[in-house]
Amino acid sequence: MKLQSSTVLLTGASGGIGNALARELAARGARLLISGRDTAKLATLSAELRSRGAEVSVLPADLSTAEGAERLAHAALSGGVPDLVVHCAGGMSFGRLDAVPAEAITRLWQTNVIAPSLLTRALLPALRKQGRGRLVFVGSIFGSLAFPMYASYSATKFALRGFAEALRRELDGSGIGVTYVAPRYTRTALNDGAPARIAQALAMHQDEPAAVAARIADAVERDRREVYFGFAERIFVKLNAWFPWLVDRGLRAQTQRMRELEPATAGLPRQA
């Protein structure tokens, strides 16, 4: 797929990876429909990209509600059918499950799973009629490797990965491709505070948003089905699929360290 002159609907553009991805896609010549909850950040981003000659439209949306997803689909289709849809909006929850508010878990599922499902459903008839396009779902390495203190977050990313995989098979032969991207820990505001302190304490590999964005854009242009970040992380994913008990053992020391740090690193659910 050529990004030059293509029309891209990008959700979560006001967040770290989404913000970097908007810049990357614009630099490769794409026309952007950027969406997010933070209208001030979207306005700043759009002004920056337009100053560089990019064609940008702003479509504010709160994807934590079903109505928000429907409204975004209607707005995106009002000017034509996007060539590429990138589901980058997401929420994150860190901490012991019994310490996470019930409403935060509901909101996490709505944002990470239900919203991209509903938005995709609303866009599919037009994409099918067009006979081409690509859907990109930005998940997480935790969508294949469940991690302690991220139970709800991991569950939503497991679900998103399954959705993308099933949809890829469902759309086979339609001209619509599906790409699932699984970044590892990325230095964004979503991971500020407790997750950042845990990542530092456990010496997790960390990526910059711009590097993640470049790999996502490369994956689109190469029609990749899946992209997993990090050699060690990919090995753990394969081990987890075949020998989960080995991963249990491998994470035991890290889990204990997180339990020791947990009182000082308690975090609240957040969205981007």
Side-chain angles (χ1 to χ4, degrees), residues 72-191:
L72 177 57
H74 179 76
L77 293 173
S78 64
V81 183
D83 302 294
L84 173 67
V85 180
V86 183
H87 296 277
C88 200
M92 199 275 288
S93 176
F94 170 85
R96 292 182 296 106
L97 180 61
D98 54 318
V100 178
E103 60 272 17
I105 295 175
T106 300
R107 187 167 64 249
L108 197 67
W109 278 90
Q110 176 65 49
T111 303
N112 290 2
V113 183
I114 298 174
S117 300
L118 292 178
L119 180 57
T120 299
R121 177 182 179 275
L123 293 170
L124 264 182
L127 287 169
R128 285 185 183 275
K129 186 176 181 180
Q130 179 174 257
R132 59 180 171 79
R134 180 160 292 273
L135 301 162
V136 177
F137 298 90
V138 180
S140 168
I141 201 71
F142 289 167
S144 299
L145 182 64
F147 216 73
M149 302 291 182
Y150 290 91
S152 294
Y153 177 75
S154 287
T156 63
K157 293 303 183 179
F158 265 78
L160 185 66
R161 178 172 63 88
F163 178 77
E165 185 176 284
L167 191 62
R168 180 189 303 120
R169 293 165 179 167
E170 180 178 322
L171 295 175
D172 185 39
S174 69
I176 306 168
V178 176
T179 299
Y180 176 76
V181 182
R184 57 187 177 181
Y185 183 91
T186 306
R187 294 188 182 94
T188 68
L190 205 64
N191 286 318

Side-chain angles (χ1 to χ4, degrees), residues 200-218:
Q200 183 175 8
L202 299 182
M204 289 183 179
H205 295 290
Q206 302 182 27
D207 294 316
E208 295 296 335
V212 175
R215 285 199 62 185
I216 293 174
D218 287 343

